[in-house]
Amino acid sequence: MTPVPLSVLELAPAARDATATEALHHTAELAKRVEALGYRRIWVAEHHNMPSIASSSPAVLIAHLAAVTSTIRVGSGGVMLPNHAPLVVAEQFGTLEALHPDRIDLGIGRAPGTDQRTALALRRTMAGLSAEGFPQELSDLIGYFQGDNDLIEAVPGRGNEPAIWLLGSSGFSAQLAGVLGLPFSFAHHFSSANTVPALELYRENFRPSRWLSQPYAKVAVNVICADTDEKAHWLAGPSALAFLKLRTGKPEALVPPEEAAAYPYNDLERAFVDDRWRDQAVGSPETVERQLRDLLSRTGANELMLTTMVYDLEARSHSYELVSEKVAPNLAR
């Protein structure tokens, strides 16, 4: 049996009573802590117009995280390609790879990571906001790293290609990742119903490539681990409430756990929140181990990427410590 690598998806959670500076400093501190705990990589997400998430500029944040760490891989989970010109992404991540050789991951997604109005403000045109153009833009991006464009040279992108991943929450990117022979990361943390079908599509369509000789699938999952099940569910309250507010068009920053616990959910809202945590991992180390073992059994994932969206940095760090020390040694495939 081989131990399953564990990694971290960090969203730079923004608490209501904290500044963006504090949120980003907490992310940098967390990167140093999870590196010391032996996590394989830390990725930062790209989200926009979301008060509870401060990771709107992955390339900038990755540069900082890579500078304050030394061994952990640092990357994007992901860069939402419809929001950016492929040349710009090649230049940014070529720069990162040149500064931190063999430590940078470029996870690429095709969703905008925000609402349509904000996506339009980012792109400034409706072109590129649909999925149809994504394969060509991805091809252009990879071409810049390889120097395939005779008229434009991405400096320092050419010759400084980071590890490229495709991200997905449905079958589209799963099939494309398989056809191209790229590693694939699935967003189980917000699309759990699609996880197994998408991974099956990925493996069925996989073709060996210069990147991989066989499929490599990573699954991102919400994990909140505490000393007891009750404490873990209490810590999960702010994230659940923020997700509810986002989906109802009223996004807010994270509130303290006691305020989240006191929120007067109606029956429909309570069902929505309960569904949010279905097939995720929330509880004591024993509970989280059982939940992650089940996820590995159902998905055959090569790697798990944990995202821990809680209000307090120390509680977030403690969750990763408990998983590293008490759960990880018992996870294998």
Side-chain angles (χ1 to χ4, degrees):
M1 301 290 284
T2 304
V4 175
L6 299 181
S7 295
V8 172
L9 175 61
E10 169 67 357
L11 305 182
R16 188 181 60 193
D17 59 353
T19 65
T21 297
E22 291 170 319
L24 294 170
H25 283 176
H26 288 169
T27 289
E29 177 61 27
L30 185 74
K32 291 184 280 188
R33 295 184 187 186
V34 297
E35 177 180 61
L37 289 169
Y39 284 84
R40 173 169 289 188
R41 63 187 97 237
I42 181 168
W43 283 7
V44 294
E46 178 185 346
H47 290 292
H48 303 277
N49 196 28
M50 295 184 187
S52 63
I53 297 175
S55 59
S56 60
S57 301
V60 178
L61 188 50
I62 289 166
H64 181 62
L65 299 185
V68 299
T69 56
S70 58
T71 58
I72 194 169
R73 296 192 65 88
V74 187
S76 59
V79 163
M80 301 294 103
L81 196 54
N83 299 339
H84 311 279
L87 176 59
V88 172
V89 178
E91 291 173 338
Q92 290 176 342
F93 278 79
T95 300
L96 291 168
E97 179 67 19
L99 288 169
H100 307 282
D102 300 320
R103 289 187 59 211
I104 303 299
D105 294 333
L106 172 53
I108 303 165
R110 68 180 179 93
T114 189
D115 58 90
Q116 282 291 97
R117 180 166 48 191
T118 306
L120 180 58
L122 286 162
R123 192 75 178 209
R124 298 192 297 171
T125 173
M126 293 302 292
L129 293 183
S130 65
E132 286 75 13
F134 179 74
Q136 183 58 55
E137 291 203 330
L138 177 61
S139 177
D140 292 343
L141 172 60
I142 294 172
Y144 283 127
F145 286 122
Q146 297 176 354
D148 290 345
N149 192 308
D150 294 332
L151 300 177
I152 301 173
E153 182 171 349
V155 182
R158 181 176 182 177
N160 287 297
E161 181 179 287
I164 297 176
W165 291 68
L166 278 195
L167 281 58
S169 57
S170 63
F172 182 94
S173 291
Q175 293 182 74
L176 183 58
V179 169
L180 296 178
L182 286 167
F184 179 59
S185 183
F186 189 83
H188 178 85
H189 60 302
F190 66 80
S191 186
S192 60
N194 295 323
T195 305
V196 172
L199 293 182
E200 289 176 350
L201 280 173
Y202 170 59
R203 293 173 179 127
E204 289 169 2
N205 286 276
F206 184 83
R207 302 174 185 172
S209 68
R210 66 183 181 88
W211 295 288
L212 290 175
S213 60
Q214 55 188 354
Y216 191 94
K218 177 162 58 62
V219 171
V221 54
N222 290 294
V223 176
I224 298 178
C225 191
D227 296 314
T228 66
D229 288 348
E230 293 75 17
K231 182 64 176 291
H233 283 280
W234 187 74
L235 290 171
S239 173
L241 183 58
F243 193 67
L244 172 66
K245 294 290 187 179
L246 175 65
R247 287 300 173 92
T248 55
K250 301 175 183 178
E252 295 181 358
L254 292 179
V255 301
E258 55 270 19
E259 185 173 330
Y263 180 81
Y265 288 97
N266 60 38
D267 291 343
L268 187 62
E269 290 173 334
R270 175 56 64 187
F272 177 86
V273 167
D274 289 344
D275 186 66
R276 163 72 168 162
W277 296 116
R278 189 169 291 115
D279 290 331
Q280 308 299 316
V282 181
S284 65
E286 295 77 17
T287 299
V288 167
E289 179 184 331
R290 183 177 68 253
Q291 293 164 330
L292 292 183
R293 279 180 176 274
D294 177 67
L295 180 61
L296 286 169
S297 175
R298 289 186 288 114
T299 64
N302 301 92
E303 182 176 340
L304 294 178
M305 176 161 270
L306 320 183
T307 182
T308 303
M309 188 80 163
V310 297
Y311 180 81
D312 177 71
L313 172 64
E314 295 308 319
R316 199 150 94 244
S317 296
H318 187 52
S319 178
Y320 286 118
E321 289 168 3
L322 288 174
V323 172
S324 173
E325 295 168 3
K326 297 187 177 183
V327 177
N330 302 316
L331 295 179
R333 64 183 301 274

